[in-house]
Amino acid sequence: MRFIPVSGLKDASHRLFGGYAELLRMPHTARFAIGSVIACMPFPMVGMTITISVQHYYGNYTLAGALSAVQAIALAIMSPVLGKLVDKFGQRQVSIPTIIVWVVAATALVSCITARVPSWILFVLVPFMSAIPPWGAMSRSRWTHLLRGDRVRTDRALSLSGVFDEAMWVIGNPLASTLAVISGVLAFSVTGMCVIVGALMFLTELSTEPPSQTVLARKAGISRKEYRQREALKAAQIRGREEAAEKKAGILKSGQSIWGPGLIAMCVTWFGLGAFQSAASISIISFATEQNMKQYTGFIFACFSFSSMIGAIFYGAKNWTIPLWKRFYFCLIVVNLGIASFMFAHNIWTIMVIYLIIGVCQAPTWINGNQLMLHLVPPTRFTEGMAWTSAMNSIGGSAGSAIAGVFIDRMGSHGGFLVVTALALSSLALSFLGFRQIKQSTETPMLTQVEV
């Protein structure tokens, strides 16, 4: 009898992780999945490194927030462009020159910050830090290409990507805060090494790379423009079988544009998420600094990411029967209201507890968003669609950090948390403006598919 609990534990473990293990046992998938996570290290590390380093050398949260805003705006502009270029020309063709630009820009920026050069030079250099290949979108594009037509395994693969993303934040946040306090040069050096190692793992795995529009058009003996027109027409014909639902959802029709009410609603929601979460980040750093606990900020953020990773693991392991739109809005409400409560915290440990509680809904919110994208855009435009939502998240992040930085310099961390609460509540309200479109876009269980 004493072996029954062990057997039960093994059985539960198999049910929980078996689906993920099956995906990673597929030939060549583990390499690109892990490589993309390592290459994504600039996302958790660069923003925090810039904020801590600029505050240390210049003593100004407004400048730190403004630089983060400029970098986020540049990232928002570049992400859709890079996503579109990847879909057109291929992942390797776009990623390699982009990485070179980022490495040069990172070297120049950290040198200027430590030398305390005039701030206008920093504003010139920061936009080039947006030269980051869309690793997450490219990895998800590989999964959807490999698993096309298999909705259950595709959803699980997107959940696995969410787990890996959260693992990246769990490691990146405390690592960035620790290294940046020691030396900005050290923090940027470690980030650069991660980019190069991850890129080598990802880009040298050729067998899983989805064909670009250029390759598909060449095989068909037509131009890229003609191919895109034909793809849009086929998508409309396939989805035409669900004509009634199609009219309600307003998803992509015979035109070439991927824009519809559902995608617009997603972009508005992602803008709000970026705004209040970036404002929360810089406010927490200020709050911890006031309490002489700045070195623990990375740990606080890591708790949020760890909780989110646990949420992603359990969320992706279950085959959900609850409609996608209900899951999306439930998780969104938990995250928004939880972060809005930061203004009532008396110490950073209270914030840590709140992060641990609401974090389990953070990754599922993004996973649900990724799954919604499969209902809104065709597969060969998936990277572009993902890039647009990422861009709106970055624009929101730029607005949030810039506004919070001004209020922190005037009112301290309390002013920053007031901004966080206002943004979180208004973001939640705005997300419901797209409620009807998001609900209707998921009424049909079939994912958008194109046969070439």
Side-chain angles (χ1 to χ4, degrees):
M1 295 294 293
R2 61 180 180 179
F3 294 103
I4 292 178
V6 176
S7 176
L9 182 62
K10 288 183 178 179
D11 183 57
S13 177
H14 176 74
R15 288 199 304 268
L16 183 60
F17 299 107
Y20 295 143
E22 177 191 356
L23 292 172
L24 294 176
R25 281 197 297 266
M26 294 173 61
H28 313 293
T29 57
R31 182 170 177 176
F32 81 75
I34 297 173
S36 68
V37 175
I38 298 174
C40 276
M41 277 299 176
F43 289 105
M45 295 187 69
V46 168
M48 183 169 290
T49 300
I50 290 176
T51 300
I52 293 177
S53 298
V54 170
Q55 195 278 329
H56 174 73
Y57 286 102
Y58 291 84
N60 192 323
Y61 280 104
T62 299
L63 177 60
L67 288 172
S68 297
V70 170
Q71 196 259 347
I73 292 173
L75 188 63
I77 295 172
M78 286 301 299
S79 291
V81 173
L82 291 174
K84 196 166 188 176
L85 290 175
V86 166
D87 284 338
K88 280 186 177 181
F89 301 108
Q91 296 181 350
R92 283 177 298 126
Q93 289 79 355
V94 175
S95 298
I96 293 174
T98 304
I99 293 169
I100 295 173
V101 172
W102 186 89
V103 170
V104 173
T107 303
L109 180 63
V110 69
S111 301
C112 291
I113 290 175
T114 53
R116 292 186 174 89
V117 302
S119 59
W120 68 266
I121 298 179
L122 303 182
F123 282 105
V124 171
L125 292 174
V126 159
F128 292 98
M129 296 297 292
S130 65
I132 304 174
W135 299 112
M138 291 193 300
S139 176
R140 288 166 173 82
S141 180
R142 292 193 180 206
W143 281 119
T144 55
H145 172 68
L146 290 171
L147 303 173
R148 57 188 178 276
D150 189 338
R151 185 176 67 87
V152 173
R153 290 208 299 167
T154 298
D155 288 350
R156 185 170 290 124
L158 294 177
S159 297
L160 177 62
S161 297
V163 172
F164 282 151
D165 287 347
E166 296 307 325
M168 168 192 71
W169 288 91
V170 169
I171 298 171
N173 273 321
L175 185 62
S177 64
T178 301
L179 295 178
V181 169
I182 298 172
S183 169
V185 175
L186 181 60
F188 274 107
S189 298
V190 172
T191 307
M193 280 179 23
C194 291
V195 170
I196 294 172
V197 172
L200 287 173
M201 292 178 64
F202 187 92
L203 297 176
T204 55
E205 180 44 68
L206 307 180
S207 61
T208 57
E209 182 176 354
S212 65
Q213 294 172 7
T214 301
V215 172
L216 293 173
R218 187 183 300 122
K219 287 182 179 180
I222 57 178
S223 67
R224 269 198 314 271
K225 182 178 180 180
E226 292 171 332
Y227 171 78
R228 287 162 68 90
Q229 291 173 339
R230 191 180 75 174
E231 172 205 270
L233 181 60
K234 284 188 176 183
Q237 291 172 344
I238 293 172
R239 296 300 301 275
R241 299 166 190 169
E242 304 285 345
E243 189 173 358
E246 182 71 17
K247 287 180 180 179
K248 291 181 181 179
I251 304 175
L252 186 69
K253 300 186 188 300
S254 59
Q256 295 184 48
S257 175
I258 64 174
W259 289 97
L263 181 57
I264 292 173
M266 284 295 299
C267 286
V268 171
T269 302
W270 254 231
F271 174 90
L273 278 172
F276 72 79
Q277 290 191 352
S278 67
S281 296
I282 193 170
S283 299
I284 290 171
I285 292 174
S286 172
F287 190 40
T289 302
E290 291 171 359
Q291 296 187 340
N292 296 318
M293 302 181 75
K294 183 168 65 174
Q295 67 272 25
Y296 295 109
T297 54
F299 176 74
I300 301 299
F301 295 130
C303 287
F304 186 41
S305 300
F306 176 77
S307 178
S308 182
M309 181 177 67
I310 298 300
I313 291 173
F314 283 89
Y315 185 85
K318 179 176 173 60
N319 293 326
W320 292 92
T321 56
I322 300 173
L324 178 58
W325 66 270
K326 288 185 178 180
R327 289 178 270 142
F328 175 73
Y329 275 106
F330 174 80
C331 294
L332 196 65
I333 290 170
V334 171
V335 172
N336 283 44
L337 294 184
I339 291 182
S341 68
F342 283 176
M343 66 178 296
F344 304 108
H346 297 292
N347 52 65
I348 63 171
W349 307 121
T350 303
I351 292 177
M352 182 193 73
V353 172
I354 296 173
Y355 261 158
L356 286 171
I357 294 172
I358 69 173
V360 293
C361 289
Q362 169 72 356
T365 300
W366 286 83
I367 292 169
N368 292 332
N370 293 335
Q371 292 174 359
L372 281 172
M373 291 301 297
L374 293 173
H375 293 267
L376 301 176
V377 298
T380 54
R381 305 289 294 277
F382 181 75
T383 307
E384 181 183 351
M386 288 285 292
W388 274 112
T389 54
S390 176
M392 293 307 296
N393 187 257
S394 297
I395 293 174
S398 68
S401 60
I403 296 171
V406 173
F407 274 77
I408 289 170
D409 279 336
R410 293 180 178 180
M411 303 170 60
S413 61
H414 181 69
F417 286 132
L418 287 175
V419 173
V420 172
T421 300
L423 289 174
L425 296 179
S426 59
S427 168
L428 186 60
L430 286 173
S431 70
F432 278 93
L433 295 177
F435 173 79
R436 185 171 66 88
Q437 292 85 357
I438 289 177
K439 177 183 177 182
Q440 292 175 345
S441 70
T442 58
E443 285 184 343
T444 171
M446 294 301 295
L447 304 185
T448 307
Q449 296 182 34
V450 177
E451 296 177 2
V452 180

